Amino acid sequence: MIDKTKEKLNMKKQWAKFIIVLLLYIAFLIWLKSWLGIIVIPFIYDAYISKKIRWQWWKESEGPVRMIMSWVDAIVFALVAVYFINQFFFQNYVIPSSSLEKSLLTGDYLFVSKLSYGPRIPETPLTMPLTQHTLPIVRTQSYISWPHWDYRRVKGLGTVQQNDIVVFNYPAGDSVMMAEQFQPQDYYQYCYSYGMQCSPEAQRPVDGLSAENMLAHYNRIIADGAAFIKDNKSNFGSIKYRPTDRRENYVKRCVGLPGQTLQIKNRIVYINGKANKEPDNVQYTYFVKLRQPIPDELLIDLQISTEDVISQNQQGYLPLTARAYNTLKSRKDLVESIRPVTDNDQIDVYKCYPLNGNHNWTRDNYGPVVIPKKGMTMKLTLENLPVYDRPIRVYEKNDLQVKNGKIYINGKQTDSYTFKMDYYWMMGDNRHNSADSRYWGFVPEDHIVGKPIFIWLSVNPDKYGSKIRWNRLFRWVDNIK
């Protein structure tokens, strides 16, 4: 009896030590700011935790307890190892959509390096490994919101360069409609769209409105759209906030760096007044009228997907590379007519960023816009405020208001703002079929996840039988220009 009492007392002491060490570990992560800290973690485990805490007490047990605990021990170790590796070193990512085609294809599996731009210290560290925000099957939240730490990043091997393909957290994914059919749709585009349908403010003509009244006009429309979505919870689901590192992972090409001036003129991206080199496999959309269906062998040769064919059958237009366009144009036996889709065709159903501005910008003619840089002081006016409203108010967490024609930040009247972070401009290579910075704006540095290094697997969703694209295996992403 005395031995059992001592054993229970020892067990309580072990758990007390475990809790103390866990709290010290969390405090250590809060302090962690360099690679030195990350390297020290395994030594703390080996030199102290593994020797001072009796982790494997179950090895002295018999029967099912020992068997069950051996499996628990192995699973816990694997989960901790995966969490650590995914958080600080590398992560697997699969291309879910056609926004980067034909550079990266739907079904490409990427090895994404966290070291390239520096791993972020987790903002929400208590999460189930191998999940982004939702547990599979049960569809519940996979992370605990507390503790929540401020953004910090360990110095990486390099920085984001012009035309890098980058994985990042979706900036507009801070608010999500939880009904499954609306994930991961752009909540703010829905607010604007429904506001234009149901808000009395939408009936008001905008011609002649001052910049201040124009800003108030669009803010009212978006607010009314948000109220409509909230009132129709049975259709849209509840509106949930997601922390930065729990937002959807997106992959796009960085076409604009901090401090640069970006403008799109007739589809071509200009950086500081100079045309940026287009990716070799950039795609644009063309109206195509066929005399007969495109043969399967030609579809394969031109990498025209089933999704593309459906688009042509239903809407009459196809996304094509320059090579595919020239090939089809020359095939008079197949193609009756082919021409580029332009702004005048008005097939783009989404409003370009900023949603609360009236710049009349389009996906093919946009800007100019200055991309904020850390330490850059920007002159603010009521005309350019909608462009920088979200970075100032949401990403850098300031109170921003306009009263009587004047701008107030954190209660103080001002006509300028100094940015605290670097920002980037991301676009897909499938230029007419990509939800990118033209629709939701800048990508802050705290949203940058990592750099894809190579394609380790590629699966063709359109193909029957063997779906593996063998020619894409272990292809370096940097070689995809």
Side-chain angles (χ1 to χ4, degrees), residues 187-188 190-196 198-201 215-231 355-356:
Y187 167 72
Y188 298 103
Y190 272 84
C191 290
Y192 175 82
S193 176
Y194 282 104
M196 289 298 292
C198 69
S199 174
E201 187 70 24
L215 180 62
H217 169 78
Y218 282 104
N219 283 342
R220 182 72 264 166
I221 288 173
I222 294 169
D224 287 345
F228 176 83
I229 292 173
K230 184 178 180 180
D231 291 341
L355 300 180
N356 60 345

Side-chain angles (χ1 to χ4, degrees), residues 287-319:
F287 281 113
V288 181
K289 189 173 182 180
L290 297 173
R291 299 182 189 277
Q292 56 181 303
I294 302 172
D296 288 345
E297 61 270 20
L298 187 56
L299 291 175
I300 294 171
D301 178 52
L302 300 179
Q303 291 187 303
I304 297 175
S305 67
T306 300
E307 179 185 343
D308 299 336
V309 173
I310 292 172
S311 170
Q312 198 280 327
N313 290 337
Q314 295 181 350
Q315 283 91 29
Y317 49 79
L318 267 175

Side-chain angles (χ1 to χ4, degrees), residues 145-302:
S145 300
W146 184 92
H148 186 274
W149 301 332
D150 292 337
Y151 163 69
R152 284 195 304 277
R153 184 184 296 273
V154 176
K155 185 175 177 59
L157 302 177
T159 58
V160 179
Q161 300 297 308
Q162 195 90 42
N163 296 319
D164 273 1
I165 294 176
V166 180
V167 174
F168 57 93
N169 295 118
Y170 176 37
D174 56 346
S175 297
V176 185
M177 298 171 287
M178 295 308 294
E180 189 171 351
Q181 66 269 29
F182 291 106
Q183 293 189 43
Q185 301 296 328
D186 189 328
Y187 167 72
Y188 298 103
Q189 285 283 353
Y190 272 84
C191 290
Y192 175 82
S193 176
Y194 282 104
M196 289 298 292
Q197 297 175 41
C198 69
S199 174
E201 187 70 24
Q203 307 306 316
R204 183 181 181 187
V206 297
D207 293 339
L209 288 181
S210 66
E212 180 181 6
N213 289 335
M214 185 78 73
L215 180 62
H217 169 78
Y218 282 104
N219 283 342
R220 182 72 264 166
I221 288 173
I222 294 169
D224 287 345
F228 176 83
I229 292 173
K230 184 178 180 180
D231 291 341
N232 288 270
K233 185 177 179 180
S234 59
N235 184 33
F236 298 99
S238 59
I239 308 303
K240 185 173 181 60
Y241 172 81
R242 282 180 180 159
T244 300
D245 57 346
R246 295 298 134 211
R247 295 167 193 171
E248 296 286 345
N249 285 328
Y250 270 36
V251 58
K252 307 286 180 186
R253 191 180 296 274
C254 178
V255 299
L257 295 173
Q260 294 180 336
T261 298
L262 176 141
Q263 186 172 13
I264 304 173
K265 294 188 288 187
N266 298 322
R267 308 194 309 190
I268 304 300
V269 175
Y270 289 81
I271 301 296
N272 297 333
K274 183 179 178 181
N276 191 39
K277 181 186 181 302
E278 288 196 309
D280 293 339
N281 290 311
V282 68
Q283 285 196 145
Y284 295 101
T285 300
Y286 298 84
F287 281 113
V288 181
K289 189 173 182 180
L290 297 173
R291 299 182 189 277
Q292 56 181 303
I294 302 172
D296 288 345
E297 61 270 20
L298 187 56
L299 291 175
I300 294 171
D301 178 52
L302 300 179

Side-chain angles (χ1 to χ4, degrees), residues 59-73:
K59 285 190 174 181
E60 300 173 5
S61 303
E62 296 180 359
V65 173
R66 180 167 181 168
M67 183 186 70
I68 292 171
M69 289 306 301
S70 65
W71 278 101
V72 171
D73 180 71

Side-chain angles (χ1 to χ4, degrees), residues 257-262 272 353 361 368-392 396 400 407 409 413-425 442:
L257 295 173
Q260 294 180 336
T261 298
L262 176 141
N272 297 333
Y353 176 89
W361 293 342
V369 60
V370 178
I371 304 170
K373 182 178 182 179
K374 184 177 181 179
M376 171 189 285
T377 299
M378 183 80 66
K379 180 77 172 177
L380 296 180
T381 66
L382 293 176
E383 285 74 17
N384 72 5
L385 186 62
V387 177
Y388 303 106
D389 169 46
R390 187 167 175 82
I392 295 171
E396 302 198 358
L400 175 61
I407 299 169
I409 297 179
Q413 182 186 335
T414 185
D415 62 355
S416 65
Y417 179 76
T418 302
F419 289 93
K420 302 170 187 174
M421 288 192 292
D422 285 330
Y423 291 80
Y424 302 88
W425 194 266
F442 309 106

